[in-house]
Amino acid sequence: MKLPRLTLLAVLLQLGSAAHAVENTIGLDLPGFDASVRVQDDLFRAANGGWLKSTEIPADKASFGSFAVLRDLSDQQVRAIVEELALKPQTTGSVEHKLAAFYTAFMDTAAIDQAGLAPLQPQLADIDALKSPRELAQWLGRMQGHLSTPVELSVGPDFKNPSLNLAAASQGGLGLPGRDYYLKKEPRMLKARAAYLQYLQTLAELAGVAQPARAAARVLALETAIAKAHWDPVANRDPVKAYNPMSPAELARKAPGFDWAAFLAAARLGHIDRLVVAQPSMAIALGRLHAKLPLADWKLYAKLHLLDAHAATLPQAFRQARFAFRGKALSGASSEQARWQQGMTQVNAALGDALGKLYVERHFPAGHKARMQELVGNLMAAFGDSLEALSWMSPQTKLQARDKLNKFTVKIGYPDQWRDFSALEVRAGDALGNRLRSADFEWQVLAAKAGRPVDRKEWGINPQLVNAFYDPTTNEILFPAAILQPPFFDATADDAANYGAIGAVIGHEISHGFDDQGSQFDGDGKLRNWWTPADRKAFEAVAAKLVAQYSGYEAIQGKHVNGELTLGENIADLSGLQVAYKAYQRSLGGKPSPVIGGFSGEQRFFLGWSQAWRTKMREEATLMQVTMDPHSPAEFRANGAAVNHDGFHQAFGTKAGDKMFKGSAERIRIW
């Protein structure tokens, strides 16, 4: 089961221009405004229209904005570290040696091209040698952590006993982004399917598979059968429906046709006596498919998925084919990402914590952590004030909510304890082998946690990655070092813009603990209903209004935002903005906000919020987002939360007839 870690994912940050002193003070990119658009009609375009008009999405990107700028900065910073390590001899077996060797091997495309398919031949031979459904199940078990399989295993806190780790099985195994890409007959989906079919055929041709067109069609048909059994993204958001613990023997009885015992044993989970099955009907359908479909089709599926998973470390023809589909057809990019930046992604995945330690030493000032702790404290206090002021929640439920808020764990910057990579073997000049061994190493570490106590000190993200998240099973919010730097948070900028950007992000993550998913877990991370029936009913009634609001937004022609899928993130945006605004007001100590650059503090707050969501996205990427992603497109995040905020309407004096005007009685207020 995919645990419901609620990430910000697209934490898009404001782009302050240090070239203009007033902008540096005000914390806003003034040239990025569009004077022809009134804030009262469109906050997002008023604050970002100039930038939107003058900015082109780079050819190698599906989208571009504040997040992409920070991500590129982080990649450049860690690249400098790794390339410095590679320029001089390192002690064999040290993390410095492993970082340099891993990156250098990945960058040596000439050697990769010369090696051809030879490095992957043992894995391809394993697939050719499969002679029974049992052996297929064992192969799928061994592939956990290596590639997406029809059943994906994970290990994490038990929803009902969050102090103990529990294995879980979830649906997976699709080469397209999700079930709609297989089942919908919309032109955009049909186009994506055609591109995928061509990609599968190209992989088959390059690997010397007989009758490549027929092989591709058989694999697509198999995946379509899997997709028909998949739960849709909205159903997967319900943690109660997803919590189905059972013994392996019980799973085998309920979902016959697939050798679950062989699968789990090959995945190093043969010792477990209990696991969660997130989508039981999918498990039953998989058993039927394994019993029904020819083994030859499954072997073709396995071979083409293996080639796709490792295309980055295969010869140029494979790399080009993968980009033509995953880069161009699915995301709209017209050129491949620079090899060095792909290398940073690979190194972060394999040795991210080791690289993070070096990154923090160089790029994370000690004062940033203290300042962030202060900001989080202010936001937590503001959220507590909001709890007490709720008119729709009973004292009984408020007491439970307050208990949960008080039990939040806050992780900032980097972990207190760094991971040990001594057991990971990295060989010079072995790009593919390094990836295989790294994936196996990561899976062994994860599988070994099943049945053991949860280590609350562990981090779920590397310090050099630009993101933030809330995890309901540990009731923690986490902000890695890479997000705590200019232009995201600028100590030289005005407080108003900082509260509108970093403050709203902090508030967003706190609010995830009380959105439609997070609110089903208590302060100890246990899946438990701590609400009175009347309070839950009142909450759901307000949430339904938010679903309707966002479902009315058309992201691309003929394709609207899914208000049910994005509900959790929209609640977090709405509540996070409310809480950040209250925290900013508290910071003024009862004094009026200063006017800077002709804007009041309240106006700068909302303009900073809007510029935090500055982004442009290609149509192909937007289609993928509204189909599968629980986050709404950026402009709807910026405007959708602000339109419900009393402070926004007061700051800009909106009135009837303005496009962003919403009467006080109609505004949606949750926390």
Side-chain angles (χ1 to χ4, degrees):
M1 176 175 47
K2 297 296 184 186
L3 300 176
R5 174 170 290 166
L6 305 171
T7 65
L8 190 62
L9 288 184
V11 183
L12 307 176
L13 317 173
Q14 83 255 30
L15 302 175
S17 171
H20 301 277
V22 66
E23 291 166 24
N24 195 37
T25 301
I26 202 172
L28 299 171
D29 172 24
L30 298 179
F33 285 22
D34 185 346
S36 70
V37 180
R38 300 172 66 245
V39 172
Q40 296 87 343
D41 290 328
D42 189 333
L43 171 64
F44 180 74
R45 282 174 176 76
N48 299 297
W51 179 87
L52 291 169
K53 292 174 183 177
S54 64
T55 302
E56 294 292 332
I57 302 174
D60 66 337
K61 290 179 171 30
S63 63
F64 187 68
S66 306
F67 171 74
V69 170
L70 261 192
R71 186 194 65 185
D72 287 350
L73 173 61
S74 177
D75 283 349
Q76 291 160 3
Q77 290 169 333
V78 293
R79 176 193 187 184
I81 293 171
V82 174
E83 290 187 347
E84 284 178 21
L85 295 176
L87 286 175
K88 54 186 178 181
Q90 303 294 336
T91 303
T92 301
S94 66
V95 291
E96 291 83 2
H97 177 265
K98 292 176 181 180
L99 286 165
F102 195 104
Y103 176 70
T104 301
F106 183 83
M107 292 297 293
D108 192 353
T109 53
I112 292 171
D113 292 343
Q114 185 175 3
L117 271 178
L120 197 61
Q121 283 300 339
Q123 286 71 34
L124 294 170
D126 285 345
I127 295 172
D128 288 333
L130 298 176
K131 294 182 176 61
S132 68
R134 176 181 175 81
E135 291 182 357
L136 173 63
Q138 290 173 325
W139 183 86
L140 292 172
R142 292 195 300 273
M143 289 300 102
Q144 297 304 303
H146 288 261
L147 50 84
S148 177
T149 62
V151 179
E152 295 186 353
L153 297 171
S154 61
V155 178
D158 182 348
F159 284 7
K160 292 297 181 73
N161 181 16
S163 64
L164 192 70
N165 281 309
L166 185 65
S170 303
Q171 65 188 27
L174 302 181
L176 284 162
R179 68 193 299 271
D180 284 1
Y181 278 78
Y182 293 87
L183 307 181
K184 298 284 188 179
K185 295 183 179 180
E186 303 168 9
R188 295 184 184 98
M189 299 298 187
L190 292 172
K191 182 180 179 181
R193 281 205 292 279
Y196 184 47
L197 184 63
Q198 179 59 57
Y199 176 50
L200 292 173
Q201 181 177 334
T202 302
L203 290 178
E205 289 171 350
L206 293 172
V209 174
Q211 297 181 291
R214 184 168 179 266
R218 289 163 67 185
V219 171
L220 181 60
L222 188 154
E223 290 186 37
T224 302
I226 295 173
K228 288 178 180 178
H230 268 216
W231 288 18
D232 67 46
V234 174
N236 282 323
R237 293 192 69 253
D238 189 333
V240 174
K241 290 181 180 178
Y243 186 74
N244 305 284
M246 59 186 74
S247 68
E250 185 180 359
L251 174 58
R253 288 194 302 271
K254 290 184 175 181
F258 183 74
D259 197 327
W260 295 99
F263 172 69
L264 291 171
R268 300 184 179 89
L269 291 173
H271 63 286
I272 64 172
D273 58 7
R274 190 165 164 267
L275 78 162
V276 167
V277 181
Q279 301 95 4
S281 61
M282 171 58 197
I284 293 170
L286 178 63
R288 292 172 180 163
L289 289 175
H290 266 255
K292 173 184 177 183
L293 298 178
L295 179 62
D297 285 7
W298 284 106
K299 291 169 70 172
L300 286 171
Y301 167 89
K303 184 169 290 188
L304 297 189
H305 274 248
L306 184 71
L307 292 167
D308 172 47
H310 295 294
T313 46
L314 292 178
Q316 184 179 17
F318 287 92
R319 302 194 299 269
Q320 289 176 336
R322 192 175 197 278
F323 168 72
F325 172 61
R326 301 211 174 276
K328 189 173 183 179
L330 287 186
S331 76
S334 58
S335 69
E336 195 170 12
Q337 187 181 51
R339 184 70 180 179
W340 72 263
Q341 198 159 18
Q342 295 180 52
M344 289 302 99
T345 300
Q346 298 288 332
V347 174
N348 281 330
L351 291 146
D353 207 52
L355 182 55
K357 184 175 185 294
L358 301 177
Y359 169 85
V360 165
E361 291 172 356
R362 186 175 298 192
H363 295 291
F364 189 61
H368 282 199
K369 189 166 187 173
R371 177 61 176 142
M372 190 66 176
Q373 287 170 331
E374 179 184 350
L375 284 168
V376 172
N378 291 344
L379 269 294
M380 294 283 279
F383 197 95
D385 291 344
S386 291
L387 279 177
E388 296 304 324
L390 290 178
S391 60
W392 55 268
M393 181 176 279
S394 68
Q396 178 182 343
T397 306
K398 280 184 183 180
L399 188 65
Q400 295 283 330
R402 170 63 75 175
D403 177 71
K404 178 169 186 174
L405 185 65
N406 290 340
K407 289 180 176 178
F408 263 62
T409 297
V410 181
K411 295 179 178 178
I412 297 172
Y414 54 89
D416 294 328
Q417 183 174 337
W418 301 99
R419 289 187 59 188
D420 179 8
F421 288 94
S422 58
L424 173 61
E425 181 185 5
V426 178
R427 299 176 189 169
D430 188 11
L432 177 62
N434 290 338
R435 289 193 69 193
L436 293 171
R437 287 185 295 274
S438 171
D440 198 53
F441 170 78
E442 288 293 329
W443 179 253
Q444 286 188 57
V445 171
L446 187 63
K449 295 177 182 178
R452 295 183 178 179
V454 172
D455 183 355
R456 295 292 183 113
K457 294 181 180 180
E458 282 189 342
W459 273 49
I461 190 171
N462 297 325
Q464 66 274 27
L465 298 186
V466 182
N467 212 329
F469 72 73
Y470 168 78
D471 190 329
T473 58
T474 53
N475 196 29
E476 70 179 27
I477 49 177
L478 188 152
F479 305 93
I483 204 171
L484 309 178
Q485 60 178 324
F488 178 61
F489 171 69
D490 188 348
T492 67
D494 169 56
D495 266 358
N498 278 323
Y499 271 97
I502 183 66
V505 169
I506 298 169
H508 174 106
E509 299 307 337
I510 295 171
S511 299
H512 266 316
F514 302 89
D515 68 15
D516 62 313
Q517 280 185 310
S519 64
Q520 298 186 64
F521 294 80
D522 67 16
D524 297 314
K526 183 177 181 180
L527 182 62
R528 177 178 70 83
N529 183 15
W530 45 270
W531 296 64
T532 66
D535 288 339
R536 175 58 72 174
K537 184 177 180 180
F539 175 84
E540 291 176 348
V542 180
K545 295 180 181 179
L546 206 60
V547 169
Q549 175 186 327
Y550 281 81
S551 295
Y553 294 137
E554 187 176 37
I556 50 179
Q557 186 175 4
K559 198 74 176 178
H560 284 68
V561 175
N562 186 333
E564 291 183 293
L565 175 60
T566 59
L567 178 59
E569 296 297 332
N570 296 336
I571 289 174
D573 282 344
L574 174 62
S575 302
L577 188 64
Q578 296 275 6
V579 172
Y581 186 78
K582 291 177 182 178
Y584 172 61
Q585 294 292 313
R586 285 170 60 107
S587 74
L588 296 174
K591 298 178 181 178
S593 63
V595 174
I596 302 177
F599 299 106
S600 70
E602 289 75 15
Q603 290 173 332
R604 296 194 303 278
F605 173 90
F606 289 104
L607 292 168
W609 157 258
S610 180
Q611 289 197 336
W613 293 109
R614 167 180 290 182
T615 191
K616 293 183 74 170
M617 183 173 285
R618 302 185 192 278
E619 181 176 289
E620 296 88 344
T622 303
L623 174 65
M624 206 169 0
Q625 180 175 18
V626 297
T627 302
M628 302 299 300
D629 196 326
H631 301 80
S632 300
E635 66 176 291
F636 305 127
R637 300 186 74 169
N639 287 349
V643 77
N644 288 304
H645 201 301
D646 295 338
F648 168 76
H649 295 284
Q650 293 165 3
F652 293 100
T654 62
K655 60 183 183 299
D658 295 337
K659 293 179 180 178
M660 285 198 64
F661 176 77
K662 195 172 189 179
S664 179
E666 303 302 317
R667 294 169 198 164
I668 302 170
R669 307 172 181 89
I670 298 182
W671 295 103

